[in-house]
Amino acid sequence: MTPTVSASGLSLRYGGTRALDEVSLRLTAGVTGLLGPNGAGKTTLLRVLATALPADQGAFTVLGHDPATARGRQEVRRRLGYLPQTPGFHPDFTAFEFVDYVAILKEITDRGARHREVRRVLDEVGLADVRGKRIRKLSGGMRQRVALAAALAGDPGFLVLDEPTVGLDPEQRMRFREMIAGAGEGRTVLLSTHQTEDVAMLCHRVIVMAGGRVRFEGTPAELTARAAGRVWSSTERDSGARAGWRTGTGSFRNVGDPPAGADLLEPTLEDGYLLTLDDAGAEVTA
């Protein structure tokens, strides 16, 4: 499958910290999950791919365009939808006015066509009835949907989502999962998240980052398989486990290298993720 995004050797330093260290990846149509602990370099990578931040080294293309050139950046930005972790809302804008403003920045210049597009994306995220309401009066979940509508304006071929479900309650997260799954039909979505269940439910590919590097790239099933034979149950936390916690049944779920005769459990994507971080020397807490 022809990649929508192809990156090679992306590196970036902030002072003495290497935020990205020779990152190479390929993204195709569908939803790809980006997992990693705080400080892994996820948001930096998203900002680079969204052309909001230049890399010190390396190169990438988006939909065949090279953002290293002024013309290439312009073409990428026309086909890009970006939902940052903290969207910059003007609280006195209505939902319609905010999305309309973003559509103007995307160079949708015909007023009639632009307003039709704004109504379309607000309807797509379920906000048609509140499009005239000021953003400061909307709930947190509705504000996130306004931000997603703005990212979807212009029908982008590449959609970048940075922690879109953070702070949402379970019902709001379920609603967002439905919208993200729909957005991934026919376009490429890169979803950065700390929620392994979001990746398990939504993503056809997953990338794990730690210390500015890609530590895993493959399918969710392949990441889960990394923990096969390495998860077991015990009556107390096993001192030899790399991570372990008490479950609702009172037994302990241990992840690592099991002792002989251990009561092995079926692994989850989270187990594979924890072991990948541990193998990379990243902090693992449980």
Side-chain angles (χ1 to χ4, degrees):
M1 187 179 294
T2 303
T4 303
V5 179
S6 181
S8 176
L10 294 177
S11 296
L12 178 64
R13 282 186 177 273
Y14 292 122
T17 302
R18 177 163 286 194
L20 296 180
D21 188 3
E22 295 287 329
V23 171
S24 298
L25 53 83
R26 290 161 62 90
L27 303 177
T28 57
V31 183
T32 296
L34 180 61
L35 288 170
N38 291 331
K42 303 189 304 299
T43 293
T44 299
L45 176 61
L46 297 191
R47 293 185 66 198
V48 169
L49 296 180
T51 74
L53 182 70
D56 297 331
Q57 298 177 24
F60 70 99
T61 60
V62 177
L63 297 164
H65 300 290
D66 181 0
T69 68
R71 182 177 180 84
R73 280 193 302 278
Q74 185 179 44
E75 292 299 325
V76 169
R77 288 169 181 173
R78 284 173 175 166
R79 300 295 313 282
L80 173 75
Y82 181 33
L83 196 167
Q85 192 169 358
T86 53
F89 292 120
H90 191 296
D92 287 327
F93 274 15
T94 64
F96 186 96
E97 288 168 341
F98 178 78
V99 179
D100 187 48
Y101 173 70
V102 173
I104 291 171
L105 296 180
K106 292 186 177 183
E107 301 182 355
I108 307 175
T109 55
D110 181 271
R111 188 172 184 271
R114 188 177 70 247
H115 284 187
R116 286 192 295 273
E117 177 65 2
V118 173
R119 287 190 289 269
R120 182 189 71 81
V121 293
L122 285 171
D123 182 63
E124 186 174 338
V125 300
L127 293 179
D129 293 341
V130 297
R131 64 188 183 207
K133 197 168 185 177
R134 298 197 185 280
I135 289 174
R136 59 184 163 83
K137 294 185 177 181
L138 297 177
S139 67
M142 284 186 173
R143 291 184 187 186
Q144 282 292 82
R145 282 193 267 167
V146 171
L148 180 59
L152 290 170
D155 193 23
F158 179 38
L159 188 61
V160 177
L161 308 176
D162 193 358
E163 299 284 353
T165 63
V166 67
L168 301 184
D169 64 35
E171 183 178 354
Q172 291 170 334
R173 183 174 291 122
M174 185 184 304
R175 171 68 171 161
F176 242 80
R177 285 173 182 163
E178 291 175 348
M179 290 185 289
I180 294 168
E185 296 177 7
R187 64 165 61 91
T188 298
V189 179
L190 181 58
L191 168 67
S192 175
T193 180
H194 283 97
Q195 305 291 334
T196 54
E197 63 266 32
D198 285 348
V199 173
M201 293 182 179
L202 288 170
C203 301
H204 78 294
R205 300 283 292 178
V206 57
I207 296 168
V208 177
M209 289 188 68
R213 296 181 181 180
V214 172
R215 307 294 182 164
F216 172 86
E217 183 175 2
T219 67
E222 289 168 341
L223 181 56
T224 300
R226 285 193 160 199
R230 304 180 71 187
V231 185
W232 69 101
S233 177
S234 62
T235 56
E236 58 185 29
R237 191 190 191 285
D238 194 311
S239 60
R242 300 190 188 184
W245 56 94
R246 188 188 296 274
T247 68
T249 64
S251 63
F252 279 78
R253 184 181 182 90
N254 302 284
V255 181
D257 299 314
D263 181 14
L264 295 179
L265 301 174
E266 191 73 20
T268 65
L269 186 141
E270 182 177 56
D271 298 326
Y273 169 60
L274 290 173
L275 287 169
T276 298
L277 291 184
D278 190 74
D279 290 343
E283 183 179 356
V284 177
T285 59

